[in-house]
Structure formats: structure tokens, C-alpha cells
Amino acid sequence: RRQQLRYDNNTSSSMNVHESESAPPLVPNLLPFWSTFLPKVGWAFCKVLPAYPFLAVLISFGFLFVINLWEFLGLPLEWLNAPIYYGVFYGPFAYTYVHVKRQVLIGQKDLPT
């Protein structure tokens, strides 16, 4: 239990410390996080893992059109290096984020407090 401290300046040379009973806990209860949120992340990760190669190819195919548009506009292709890299390698796992966020927003009680 966390104790909230209140200081009283009774004298100019010393301070008296008092405990308050209405202080919030120092460590939040992480049981809802470990028991509800993490399993949802795990299941969403397992769902996207088998489709990862297919999704990476689809994202790469989408970037083919972006690269053609970029060349048509005469913009430097170096600007696309990071979006292509992160989009192809980490883009499929964006499904995990979107899926779990949707589940958490539907059931707000699953958020850690």
C-alpha cells in the first residue's frame, strides 16, 4: 500500500510527516493486463503469422505502384527506402495492432488500470 505523505511546517527548522489513508496503490494491479490483454495479442500474432509471406508480397505489390508514381513525379526514390522496408517487414503485424485495439475498445474493462 502506498502512503501519501503530507508535510506540515510547524517550525522553521523541522517538518512533520503524516500518513494519509486515501492514497492510490503504488503498483497497479497488472492481473487484467497479463490475463486478458496479452492473450489477445498472442492470438492475433498467431493469426497473422501464417499469412505473413502473402501479406508481405501484397504490400510489396502495392509499393510497386507507389514507386511508379514517385518516378513519374520526379521525386528521389531514396525517400521511399524506409517506408518500403518498414512497410514490408512490419506491415503485416499492423493487423495484430488493429485487431487487438478493436477488441480492447469493445471491452474497455480489459485495459490495465
Side-chain angles (χ1 to χ4, degrees), residues 41-95:
V41 171
W43 279 111
F45 178 79
C46 289
K47 287 179 184 178
V48 78
L49 195 58
Y52 179 84
F54 177 71
L55 293 172
V57 169
L58 281 178
I59 291 171
S60 299
F61 185 71
F63 272 114
L64 178 68
F65 296 106
V66 173
I67 291 170
N68 285 332
L69 177 67
W70 217 257
E71 284 180 338
F72 177 76
L73 295 174
L75 298 170
L77 293 177
E78 292 80 20
W79 292 356
L80 290 176
N81 286 342
I84 291 171
Y85 178 80
Y86 290 111
V88 171
F89 287 115
Y90 301 117
F93 293 110
Y95 167 80

